[in-house]
Amino acid sequence: MASNEWVLEKVRNIGISAHIDSGKTTLTERILFYTGRIHAIHEVRGKDGVGATMDSMDLEREKGITIQSAATSVHWKDTAINIIDTPGHVDFTIEVERALRVLDGAILVLCGVAGVQSQSITVDRQMKRYNVPRLAFVNKLDRSGANPFRVLEMVRDKLRLNAVLVQIPIGIEDKLEGVVDLVTMKAVYFSGKDGEVITEKEIPADLADKAKEYRMELVGKVADFDEGIGEKFLMEEEPTVEELKAAIRRVTLARQIVPMFCGSAYKNKGVQKLLDGVTDYLPSPPEKDNFGLDKSKGEEQIKVQVDPKAPFVAYAFKLDEGRYGQLTYMRIYQGTVTKGDFIFNARDGKKIKVPRLVKMHADSMEDIESASAGDIIAMFGVDCYSGDTFTDGTTEMTMTSMHVPEAVISLAIAPKAKDTAANFSKALQKFRKEDPTFRVSRDEESNDTLIAGMGELHLEIYIERMKREFNCEVIAGKPQVAYRETIHAAADFDYTHKKQTGGSGQYAKVVGKIEPIQIEEGKDPKSYEFEDDVVGGRIPKEFIPAVDEGMQEQMRKGTLIGFPVVGVKVTLSDGAYHDVDSSYLAFKIAAMAAFREVYPKAQPTALEPIMKLEVVAPEEFQGNIMGQINQRRGMIQGTSTIEGSVTVMADVPLTEMFGYSTDLRSATQGKGEFTMEFNRYAAVPRNIQEELHKKYLEKRAAEQKG
């Protein structure tokens, strides 16, 4: 069925997200199998050496993790489902961001044993940011210690979601046989080699009371938000299956409840019923409100019309360099595009002819002639950046951009061999275009190329990809933490810049103060404010921006430890100028010198990134883990124990976390795992600040000598 023949109401654009190792890719593999996309099931760390279909990169197959989100489209009964399988590892958080930015609904996969883990919380926060309705799937119920009822309480407690079970398992752990569907009140069994045979029976007698109890809870939760069911609930009447399904759909789309499904993807139990849930309860493209910005009306927010006949608007959410050149993944929000059409990049106005349109299935593709609103497609030969909007030129709409977190770690890298320099720059250019969290810069003093990203693994993967994809081995320096500097006190400046050389001189006087801005907890401290309080034309209006620019330029590198200064408000209150000798440059130089002079008086302080760490290991190693965290200046935030396994949550400075994976392995006999993500910036202890300051002064002295 060609995409433009689809009935929009029968399309679902969904993502599968979760904590690392919750079984997302295994679940996607089962979905591909049951929808007839693949004819044999392969495991993530499969003995057959094939690896999961969606993990198409060699690196993904070796490490058994998903790095890039992969896209595919399947048909389930009469519904077309576009699926994006996203990574769970925090270093690849941008992949989850960009997937959720373009999706209409999502499945949050939770481990039946561990329940809500640190990355589940991050993913949930991202879903809330983009207002994505979701279902939850409690996976791995075949594992020892699995308990979906405990996971339900964790979702309510930790994620603050109004979750409700629409199924309960029949049997648990190695006795898992199927699920009780609480909507139809039928027992559903999955048998056959790959769980493809589905049998519906009456609910087993020993589960009847439990099923009634949870059915009552389901109807009660829906009744809280839905009038029709609410009335029936009060009158103690039973809603029909159709009425209940329609009501669950309404309240799920309104993000008032989260229906929870149960099963084990690995043991082929419950996946088909989850697919039914996707078609029954998640939105079609017209049911999800998406907004763009109208550039012709000062970026006023406008609602996207999900209409194939409306002016064409599409959003490039992911780039991939394949065998045949750059592949650009796009979500079409409105209008239709056909092979050979001309489209325009809203960022730079460039006109592009659409050479080839494809529908993706992991790393293979099928050519299509045209695609319309609601589709997720890919185009070849379109040169753009991730996050660009494309239109047909008749509308000035641009889609709102996605949230891009700040980098917390950087490395100096250089090609090992001189003759690979061209490949080295090509690789950096490519990675930068496809991943907004991967930054490349040049250290002006040492002339080094610096790469920055979300964590050690993030940068490691890119270095490995350079070697494999571009045949370019690199030498990497020591990882460098992205420190910041800030001030703790207000201080006044009064600086006059005078320079007399042959001809006209330079003259500018600036007077004012700098003061600290409170940085919000958990926010990235990029805050800078500039206030112009100059009255009576003491400084001409055209020179005020020069003072602002000079201050910002000087703040790019503080004089305490040589890192950017944040959290500063500059107020310019007075000054003086000369009719002949004053210029934009003179005021910019005066502002830079004024900041250098006043900064030491404002109690400068170094800030370091604090990471949220979650460690999971067998209970007997709890003492070792806590000891290690304390040694690394960590603050334990809480611990929990489930079925002989302990989870320790802590806040730890990133600078203390290098080499932690090796230490954790040796302290837990290789059984410990950890995840880490950026939490906030905090002041560095005094002794460490003095050490950093000393190192910075030594580096400066060495550079001046050299």
Side-chain angles (χ1 to χ4, degrees), residues 14-25 27-28 66 69 83-89 93 95-101 103 105-111 119-127 132-137 139 159:
I14 65 160
I16 300 178
S17 320
H19 184 90
I20 190 165
D21 257 357
S22 299
K24 288 184 315 305
T25 303
L27 173 63
T28 312
T66 303
S69 49
I83 302 171
I84 292 189
D85 174 31
T86 60
H89 201 287
T93 187
E95 289 283 343
V96 185
E97 283 282 345
R98 60 171 132 217
L100 291 174
R101 169 68 188 78
L103 294 170
I107 300 170
L108 176 63
V109 183
L110 298 159
C111 171
Q119 262 306 97
S120 325
I121 297 170
T122 306
V123 166
D124 176 65
R125 197 168 56 233
Q126 290 169 321
M127 287 181 187
V132 177
R134 75 211 74 157
L135 309 176
F137 180 63
N139 193 19
L159 300 181

Side-chain angles (χ1 to χ4, degrees), residues 61-274:
R61 293 183 172 173
E62 276 169 38
K63 292 184 184 281
I65 60 169
T66 303
I67 294 167
Q68 294 180 316
S69 49
T72 190
S73 50
V74 299
H75 279 88
W76 178 245
K77 297 178 179 170
D78 61 349
T79 304
I81 306 173
N82 291 316
I83 302 171
I84 292 189
D85 174 31
T86 60
H89 201 287
V90 67
D91 285 10
F92 308 104
T93 187
I94 192 68
E95 289 283 343
V96 185
E97 283 282 345
R98 60 171 132 217
L100 291 174
R101 169 68 188 78
V102 299
L103 294 170
D104 302 323
I107 300 170
L108 176 63
V109 183
L110 298 159
C111 171
V113 182
V116 174
Q117 295 159 281
S118 61
Q119 262 306 97
S120 325
I121 297 170
T122 306
V123 166
D124 176 65
R125 197 168 56 233
Q126 290 169 321
M127 287 181 187
K128 283 173 180 156
R129 183 182 292 133
Y130 298 109
N131 299 324
V132 177
R134 75 211 74 157
L135 309 176
F137 180 63
V138 185
N139 193 19
K140 302 195 174 184
L141 290 183
D142 59 302
R143 293 227 339 234
S144 154
N147 181 345
F149 307 106
R150 184 182 59 226
V151 178
L152 174 70
E153 290 314 313
M154 286 174 90
V155 169
R156 289 173 181 172
D157 181 38
K158 288 190 175 182
L159 300 181
R160 303 257 177 277
L161 290 176
N162 192 11
V164 59
L165 288 167
V166 289
Q167 296 175 343
I168 59 170
I170 300 171
I172 199 80
E173 300 177 351
D174 55 353
K175 297 191 172 58
L176 179 71
E177 291 178 60
V179 295
V180 171
D181 184 332
L182 299 175
V183 177
T184 59
M185 287 304 270
K186 284 271 189 284
V188 184
Y189 295 90
F190 304 88
S191 54
K193 182 168 99 53
D194 297 314
E196 71 280 14
V197 182
I198 300 170
T199 323
E200 282 198 359
K201 293 182 181 170
E202 289 307 308
I203 297 170
D206 60 336
L207 273 178
D209 290 346
K210 200 168 202 174
K212 275 192 192 119
E213 178 196 332
Y214 280 97
R215 156 83 174 202
M216 190 78 162
E217 185 179 88
L218 167 64
V219 176
K221 287 262 186 197
V222 174
D224 288 345
F225 300 101
D226 191 87
E227 260 179 54
I229 300 292
E231 278 176 30
K232 291 216 160 194
F233 190 66
L234 289 172
M235 307 292 287
E236 294 188 1
E237 288 177 25
E238 271 294 310
T240 66
V241 170
E242 283 64 36
E243 285 170 341
L244 186 54
K245 267 191 183 171
I248 295 172
R249 180 178 183 79
R250 284 192 293 272
V251 292
T252 305
L253 297 193
R255 301 189 313 284
Q256 289 161 326
I257 72 162
V258 174
M260 284 180 74
F261 290 76
C262 297
S264 162
Y266 183 60
K267 288 284 193 274
N268 311 315
K269 306 243 184 299
V271 178
Q272 298 96 317
K273 295 303 282 181
L274 176 65

